[in-house]
Structure formats: structure tokens, C-alpha cells
Amino acid sequence: MIRVGNCSGFYGDRISAMREMLDGGDLDYLTGDYLAELTMLILGRDRMKDASLGYAKTFVRQMEECMSLALEQGVKIVANAGGLNPAGLAAKLSGIAENQGLKAKIAYVEGDDLRERAQELGLGSPLTANAYLGAFGIAECLRNGADIVVTGRVTDASVIVAPAIAEFGWSRTDFDQLAGAVAAGHVIECGTQATGGNYSFFREISDMSRPGFPIAEIFPDGSSVITKHDHTGGEVSIGTVTAQLLYEISGGRYAGPDVTTRMDTIKLSDDGPHRVRLSGVKGEAPPPDLKVSLNTLGGFRNQADFIVTGLDIDAKIKLAKQQLEAWLTKPPAELRWEVSGTARENAPTEEQASSILRCIVKDMDPKIVGRSFTSVAVELALASYPGFALTAPPADAQPYGLFTPGYVPQESVPHVAVLADGQRVDIAPAPETRPLEDAPESSLPAKPAVTETRQAPLGAIAGARSGDKGGDANVGVWVRTDEEFEWLAHTLTVDALKKLLPEADGMTVRRYPLPHLKAINFVIEGILGQGVASQARFDPQAKGLGEWLRSRHLDIPVALLDAEGNE
């Protein structure tokens, strides 16, 4: 068994987490995930300003503090913090080691950056183009003695899968073992989301003051136990692990460059306090193509937030819209209105008596959504609805990005392990592939008999976790008993979801039951426009979408509500 900890779930996560994990108890490996679709755009803009950048600078700060401690303890570090410049990050880390008098073997993995070949590969002319590599390049570095391995774009779970490959000698076709490690990696790669963070039933956790980061104990057969260091906050339970397994997935098949993991085969069991065992995971050959993260500059955006207070809210909003649109000398390519907050009647405070009217504009010309727009918004101040106010003066136009996925054959992407001694080792693509298709429809429990029901929020019995998948969003809903799943499986249909979430009406929604997890996952296509950077809705990464769903009311059997202790 190896103990693999995590100390970062995104670029900007808790800066002290690396030291906390090294100080907190025994580890063999410490990993970090620093990359997301939006992060690649941020790093791309960094690289435009300074070609020597393009990596996660917070990781450098962590390593300046913790490199000596990790080497002293024999804990190997694996992180995708290299972003768009893993070679530059490796050189920076070598400089830290030299300055501190440390002997550290530092290796890196490259080949994912396809920007220079984007047109040749049919990917257009993006700002960034990075293929999602797998774990075998990292494993090659570790097998050759690396103390620290940094990468560019690899799949999030790969930094956790690679130590298991290196330790246990798994081959490219040990699909069940690889899939088991991917499942463990998927649980811990988002950090404290596995230990109570963003958890629907957070009120049931006794100590949420500072959740500890998660650990995966991975075994040679691919099974694992999710846990955390003793005496840290948060909780590891079947519920917290289920929630994270549902995060940013689609259906029963979860594709990666090394293996397609059958999410519909994962079985969870209690292994003691703050210990959850994952077993039974099945894997299949990966698809023949690699996914590519493509970011382009979409143009410029701006917004103005109007405070609308008191009586005649609808009429005031109508007037503001009519005036602003009529006063603009040149309409922007895109103009969108949103209203947030609902002004209460006879409210005890002014804020509760107010709504926010938001005007969002986009155009390729920064002048149109810059001064031309902001001037009109300000000029309305003495000529519009009573009580006119802005939350803040409108700002200058800001560039925004667009994310789109691309796909290229595995064999067209170089995958190179650059060992600590400078030797370059080419990593061959997967020797066996299988086109991706939906998993077979899972058999559902029998439909329960109709019983007395009561209107109540779905969250009275169900948890949810949601997130972004490019322009799509996923919402995973789970319950905790077989009786609840019998009801959920036959009640929460696609049509029911669209009624509960009217913003999804008219969109394609796909539904995937996962009976082993007592869960149903939905993918809502296009609800996020062209990805988080395009800011298509006020919750651009759909983080709150699941909690909105939980707050919606429907008829729930009284017996289930009473069993959960809900009045």
C-alpha cells in the first residue's frame, strides 16, 4: 500500500496545505492539482506578458518553504503546476534547491502543448492548446528516481495514478487497477471537497473550521481507502466521497488517456472513522483520441449593476433597459440583462427592499464596451428611475476567453518524460484503445408503491454536487438509503429536472443513473455558454446549480421525510 496525499485542488488553494500535509503524518507521495480550464487561460495571458512564466507561481512559494522537509521525510512531490511551461518550472525548482543547498532530483513531463501545431491538427489558432496526457510519463520519472515531478496538462487524476504505476509495476493494459486508481485520484484531486468542503450535509460535520486535505491509500489491486490525517477538521464519509465522485463527470464511462473508468462499478464501504474503501472498479481501454483544452480570446466584456429599490420594481427595470439601449450610439455585439435578488415588500432594511439589475455587454471592440458603454450608464444617474444607483462605477472593458474542447489521435501527441539527469524518454500512446460510448443502462430498482406525499425541498433527503464541463454543467444527485433511491430513480427524470430548473428548459439534458452510488447524474448541455471564462451566467462554473436544485420543492413520500427527521 502507498499513501498519496493531496495539497491543492486549484490554483489559489490553501497556501499552507503543503506544509500541513508534510507535518500532519506519514505520506509516501504528495500531489497537487493546480490546473483548470480557466487557469490555462490565466497562464496563457501570463506567458504573453513574460515568456519565462506560464506556471503556477504559488507552487514555487510552497516549494521554497517545503522542499527541504519533503526531501528529509522521503516524500516525493508530483504536481501539474508546470502549466504551460513545465521546463521553466523545473528550472526554477532546481534554482531553489541550489540556493538552499539541497540535492533534489527534479524531472518534468512535456508534450501536451500543441499551440504551435494547432492549425496543422485542425484546432484553429487558439491562445492555448493543451492535450490531456496520462500518468505513464510521470511514472517513468518516478521509476528513475525523481524526488519531484512537475507536468503540464495531464488529467487531474494522473498525478495520483502515476505513483501507483511506479510502485506496483502496472502495465498499460492493467485496466481494472488503473481504473481503481483513477477513482481514488478523482476523489482526492479536488482537495478538501473530499473532506466536507462544498458538502450538502455540512451541518452534520462536527468540525468544519479547517477541513484537512485528503489521502488515498492505494493497494496493488487498484482498490483504495480515502482518509485524512488525524486531528484535522472535516470528515471523510461515504457521503463526502460520493459527492466528490459525482463532481464534473458525465455517465457511467469516465474517459481518460490511460483507461476508461466505469463509474457505475465503484462500490463504497465504511472502513472505520474517516476511512472509506473504494473497490470493485472496472476499467476498459481508453478512447483513441486525446481531449485538448483550447482557449481563445473571445473579445471584451463589461457590466453595470443598477440598484433598484422599493415600489414599482418591474416598471423601474423596464425604464432603465429602454433608456440604456436607446442611448447607446453603437450597440455592442451582445447585450444581456439579468435581475438578481428579489425586493421584499415592506422590507425592514433598504437592501432587502432592493434588486440588482445587471447589464452585461460583449464586443470585439473594447471602445464599444468601454467608455461608450460606461458613459451612458453613468449619464442615466439623474434621468432615470427614482432611487437610481450603481453598485460601483462601471470599469474599463476587460478581455474574456472562450473554452472549447478539441480531440486529436493519441499518436499525434508527443509525450516525453524528461528525467532528472536530462535524459528524454518518449512515452508510447496506449497500445489498445476502444471508441467511447455510453455505458449500458444500469438496472433500476422497482418503482415503489404510491404513498402519502408532502411538498418539501429535494434537499430534505438528497445531496447534490455540480460543476462545469466546458460549456456544459453536470449535477449529481445522491441519497443515502435504498428506499430513497427507489423513489429518486423513478421521480427525478429529465422532464422533472427541467421543471425544477427552468433555466435548463429547451436544452439537451442527459441522465445517467449510478445505482451503486445511489445517485443520478445529469449533464445539461450549453447552459454555461462557451465555458467559465465567457461568463455566460452569474454562476459561471455551475458551483451552486446543485444547491439550487436541492432548494426546489416537489412531492416527497412522507415516510422518507420522517425517516430523515424532517418536519
Side-chain angles (χ1 to χ4, degrees):
M1 181 266 287
I2 55 171
R3 282 171 61 89
V4 183
N6 168 280
C7 68
S8 177
F10 68 101
Y11 189 14
D13 209 344
R14 190 189 306 171
I15 194 73
S16 62
M18 183 176 289
R19 176 165 285 279
E20 291 174 18
M21 290 299 285
L22 291 170
D23 285 341
D26 291 337
L27 293 173
D28 298 303
Y29 294 86
L30 184 57
T31 65
D33 176 21
Y34 293 79
L35 303 183
E37 293 163 1
L38 181 61
T39 311
M40 301 305 285
L41 178 63
I42 293 169
L43 296 178
R45 291 175 64 184
D46 282 351
R47 187 172 63 177
M48 288 174 67
K49 298 174 185 176
D50 184 344
S52 69
L53 297 179
Y55 51 77
K57 290 172 279 191
T58 53
F59 179 74
V60 174
R61 290 171 54 196
Q62 289 174 312
M63 292 303 294
E64 285 174 336
E65 179 187 1
C66 297
M67 186 185 294
S68 62
L69 180 59
L71 292 171
E72 178 184 328
Q73 294 182 355
V75 177
K76 296 179 182 292
I77 306 289
V78 181
N80 62 10
L84 300 174
N85 189 6
L89 177 57
K92 186 74 172 179
L93 297 178
S94 295
I96 292 171
E98 183 177 353
N99 290 339
Q100 296 184 7
L102 303 173
K103 294 183 178 180
K105 296 180 179 179
I106 301 169
Y108 63 95
V109 176
E110 64 179 16
D112 62 292
D113 194 339
L114 304 179
R115 186 182 60 154
E116 299 298 327
R117 299 173 54 216
Q119 288 191 329
E120 166 199 336
L121 294 169
L123 302 172
S125 302
L127 173 65
T128 68
N130 296 81
Y132 288 78
L133 300 180
F136 279 87
I138 304 170
E140 183 70 20
C141 295
L142 293 172
R143 279 196 295 259
N144 281 275
D147 301 307
I148 302 166
V149 185
V150 294
T151 76
R153 202 51 170 123
V154 296
T155 61
D156 297 343
S158 288
V159 295
I160 294 105
V161 176
I165 294 171
E167 292 280 349
F168 304 134
W170 294 339
S171 75
R172 297 298 296 259
T173 56
D174 285 331
F175 295 130
D176 290 348
Q177 292 92 324
L178 292 169
V182 167
H186 183 61
V187 172
I188 75 167
E189 52 93 0
C190 267
T192 51
Q193 279 196 168
T195 59
N198 299 341
Y199 181 54
S200 292
F201 303 112
F202 69 97
R203 292 188 300 169
E204 298 176 5
I205 300 175
S206 60
D207 178 13
M208 277 294 291
S209 59
R210 193 176 179 85
F213 276 70
I215 298 166
E217 297 177 351
I218 305 177
F219 295 84
D221 65 354
S223 64
S224 63
V225 171
I226 308 301
T227 185
K228 63 185 184 71
H229 283 320
D230 293 337
H231 312 299
T232 57
E235 175 180 281
V236 176
S237 66
I238 288 177
T240 67
V241 172
T242 298
Q244 183 53 27
L245 283 170
L246 294 173
Y247 184 59
E248 295 182 348
I249 64 167
S250 52
R253 284 190 166 101
Y254 184 68
D258 298 322
V259 64
T260 294
T261 302
R262 289 292 297 268
M263 303 298 286
D264 54 355
T265 65
I266 301 172
K267 297 178 181 177
L268 304 181
S269 57
D270 194 327
D271 198 60
H274 302 296
R275 293 178 62 83
V276 173
R277 182 172 293 277
L278 279 67
S279 61
V281 187
K282 298 296 182 184
E284 299 169 345
D289 293 339
L290 294 181
K291 183 178 178 180
V292 183
S293 172
L294 301 170
N295 281 288
T296 58
L297 292 177
F300 296 84
R301 72 182 301 278
N302 206 345
Q303 71 181 56
D305 293 353
F306 303 89
I307 302 171
V308 189
T309 305
L311 302 176
D312 304 319
I313 293 288
D314 290 343
K316 291 173 179 176
I317 288 174
K318 181 179 180 181
L319 175 60
K321 288 181 176 180
Q322 289 175 339
Q323 288 179 314
L324 185 138
E325 291 182 16
W327 290 21
L328 289 172
T329 56
K330 187 172 183 181
E334 180 181 337
L335 186 151
R336 188 173 79 251
W337 295 96
E338 294 177 354
V339 178
S340 63
T342 302
R344 289 173 54 184
E345 186 175 351
N346 194 27
T349 68
E350 183 178 347
E351 187 169 357
Q352 292 176 17
S354 302
S355 295
I356 301 296
L357 172 64
R358 180 174 294 114
C359 182
I360 300 146
V361 290
K362 295 181 180 179
D363 201 280
M364 293 302 294
D365 186 346
K367 295 179 181 178
I368 291 175
V369 294
R371 184 172 299 177
S372 297
F373 169 72
T374 58
S375 294
V376 169
V378 172
E379 288 167 4
L380 290 174
L382 305 182
S384 191
Y385 60 86
F388 178 100
L390 293 164
T391 58
D396 291 334
Q398 297 294 320
Y400 71 91
L402 301 177
F403 168 84
T404 53
Y407 297 89
V408 296
Q410 286 213 25
E411 58 270 16
S412 69
V413 178
H415 186 174
V416 182
V418 183
L419 308 184
D421 62 3
Q423 180 184 352
R424 300 174 63 86
V425 179
D426 291 328
I427 306 300
E432 180 181 338
T433 62
R434 171 179 174 171
L436 186 66
E437 55 188 21
D438 284 342
E441 186 72 25
S442 299
S443 58
L444 297 177
K447 186 175 182 178
V450 176
T451 61
E452 181 185 358
T453 63
R454 183 168 70 236
Q455 277 272 310
L458 176 61
I461 66 169
R465 175 67 61 77
S466 57
D468 57 320
K469 297 285 288 181
D472 304 339
N474 94 294
V475 185
V477 182
W478 84 94
V479 290
R480 299 188 276 193
T481 70
D482 291 337
E483 293 76 18
E484 290 170 346
F485 186 65
E486 289 173 3
W487 171 82
L488 184 75
H490 293 280
T491 301
L492 198 57
T493 62
V494 168
D495 287 342
L497 181 90
K498 289 184 175 182
K499 289 178 181 177
L500 294 171
L501 301 182
E503 289 182 18
D505 193 28
M507 297 181 175
T508 298
V509 178
R510 292 177 281 125
R511 178 183 188 261
Y512 302 98
L514 299 168
H516 283 313
L517 300 178
K518 300 183 181 66
I520 299 174
N521 190 56
F522 295 91
V523 177
I524 305 173
E525 296 183 1
I527 194 170
L528 301 180
Q530 291 181 283
V532 54
S534 72
Q535 299 282 317
R537 63 193 303 271
F538 87 101
D539 177 19
Q541 291 180 286
K543 300 299 186 184
L545 195 61
E547 288 302 300
W548 177 32
L549 177 62
R550 292 183 69 239
S551 74
R552 298 287 282 160
H553 288 222
L554 71 169
D555 291 323
I556 300 176
V558 171
L560 299 182
L561 292 170
D562 289 346
E564 287 280 356
N566 296 288
E567 296 181 359

